[in-house]
Amino acid sequence: LLRRVTFALTGLPPTPAEVAAFDRDPSPAAFEKVVDRLLASPAFGERWGRHWLDLVRYGESRGHEFDPDIPNAWQYRDYVVRALNADVPYDRLVREHVAGDVLPDPRLGPDGANESVLGTGFWHLGEEVHSPVDIRQDQADRLDNRIDVFTKAFLGLTVSCARCHDHKFDAIGTKDFYALYGLLE
C-alpha cells in the first residue's frame, strides 16, 4: 500500500526509512499521514507537472533538428511544479496561462516575484523551424500550433481543423478559429 501510493503521488519508490516508519506507526491515521506528507512533497508537483507539460508540449528547444535551447524555458517548467505544489485552483491556472501578464491580482511567489506572468510562458514554447522559406506561412503555422495546444489543453477539443473548414460535429467554425488567431497575432 505504501509503495503504491508513493509511486502514484511522487513517481518514486518509498525509501527504506519511510517503509520502516510506516510499519512502526500503529495509529489508524498512519496512511492518511503518509498521503499528506506525499502531497506536501516537492516530488508531487514534479511528477504531476510532467503530465501538464506534456499537454502543453513543453520542450526546451523548438522541436526541430539542430535547434538551440530556448532561453529561460525552465522558468515555465518550474512555475508549473510550484503551482501544483501550491495547489493553485485550476481556474486560476487557466487565467494565468491565458493572461497572467495582465491579471489585476497577480499571484506572488515566496520571494515576492510575480508568479502569474510565468504562466504565459507556454505561448512561447511552441514548435518552430529555424530557417523557414515562406515567412508568412511559417507565422501562420506557428499560430495554428499554439491554437491547437491551447484548445486541446484547455477545451479538450481539436479546433485547428477549423483553420480550413467548419467543424462537422462541434459548433466551431472557421470564423471562431480566425477570431482566436487574430487575438493571438
Side-chain angles (χ1 to χ4, degrees):
L1 183 62
L2 177 67
R3 183 174 171 79
R4 183 173 289 176
V5 74
T6 304
F7 267 117
L9 294 179
T10 66
L12 303 167
T15 66
E18 291 169 342
V19 172
F22 183 68
D23 285 342
R24 284 192 310 267
D25 189 347
S27 75
F31 185 70
E32 185 177 324
K33 286 189 259 182
V34 166
V35 170
D36 288 342
R37 177 181 56 77
L38 294 172
L39 290 174
S41 164
F44 173 78
E46 293 164 2
R47 163 135 169 82
W48 290 98
R50 289 179 60 207
H51 296 292
W52 183 255
L53 294 173
D54 285 346
L55 275 176
V56 297
R57 300 182 193 162
Y58 172 80
E60 295 191 6
S61 78
R62 297 290 181 193
H64 195 265
E65 60 185 324
F66 310 117
D67 274 349
D69 289 343
I70 300 171
N72 301 310
W74 59 271
Q75 289 188 25
Y76 174 75
R77 178 199 65 211
D78 290 358
Y79 153 83
V80 169
V81 170
R82 285 191 304 272
L84 287 172
N85 281 331
D87 203 20
V88 173
Y90 181 71
D91 64 327
R92 177 66 190 207
L93 192 73
V94 171
R95 284 195 308 272
E96 289 179 358
H97 275 73
V98 174
D101 55 331
V102 294
L103 289 177
D105 59 336
R107 188 171 52 85
L108 303 178
D111 59 354
N114 182 344
E115 283 283 303
S116 297
V117 73
L118 294 174
T120 61
F122 100 100
W123 290 114
H124 305 285
L125 298 172
E127 180 183 341
E128 296 179 11
V129 297
H130 53 75
S131 296
V133 175
D134 183 339
I135 301 296
R136 295 300 288 167
Q137 181 65 49
D138 180 63
Q139 178 185 19
D141 291 343
R142 282 186 285 121
L143 287 170
D144 178 53
N145 181 269
R146 289 180 178 132
I147 289 170
D148 191 44
V149 170
F150 171 72
T151 57
K152 283 179 179 175
F154 294 108
L155 302 176
L157 288 172
T158 302
V159 173
S160 259
C161 58
R163 178 180 181 179
C164 302
H165 59 269
D166 290 345
H167 258 234
K168 192 172 188 172
F169 301 107
D170 296 315
I172 299 167
T174 54
K175 72 177 189 171
D176 299 318
F177 175 87
Y178 285 103
L180 186 54
Y181 184 101
L183 181 71
L184 294 179
E185 187 178 37

